[in-house]
Amino acid sequence: MSEKDKLDILIYNAYCDICDDKSRMHKLELIANDYNVSVDYLYNRYLWLINMQINPNFCHLDENHKLIYKIFDEYNKMLNENNIEYYYTSGILAYLLANKSLERYHL
């Protein structure tokens, strides 16, 4: 599992944990120190995870993205080897064409 996925799990669980604000802040400060980021960064990342409806405890983003790239490459290879004409019409192409990292789950 990537460090980014581990950080997402820590952030998500720290905010979702049923504890008082003082305990939560202490957890976040420890996480921030370990990952050399600010508590504000952790909070913004948590809000982004919630907004994107991502629970990193169930599916890890980096793992999902590696799998998507692998499937995409294998699928293209199969189509090309069998001389099958094809074209894509999907949002993932914008990421690929702009050389931008994937940001959400892709199924």
Side-chain angles (χ1 to χ4, degrees), residues 60-94:
H60 312 297
L61 281 177
D62 280 352
E63 287 178 17
N64 174 262
H65 296 162
K66 287 176 187 173
L67 179 61
I68 290 301
Y69 286 131
K70 180 180 177 183
I71 291 169
F72 192 76
D73 288 344
E74 290 297 318
Y75 186 67
N76 286 330
K77 183 179 171 184
M78 184 266 312
L79 292 172
N80 290 329
E81 286 175 352
N82 291 288
N83 294 320
I84 298 172
E85 265 188 60
Y86 63 96
Y87 65 94
Y88 292 105
T89 59
S90 173
I92 195 170
L93 290 179

Side-chain angles (χ1 to χ4, degrees), residues 64 68 105-107:
N64 174 262
I68 290 301
Y105 292 134
H106 296 274
L107 305 174

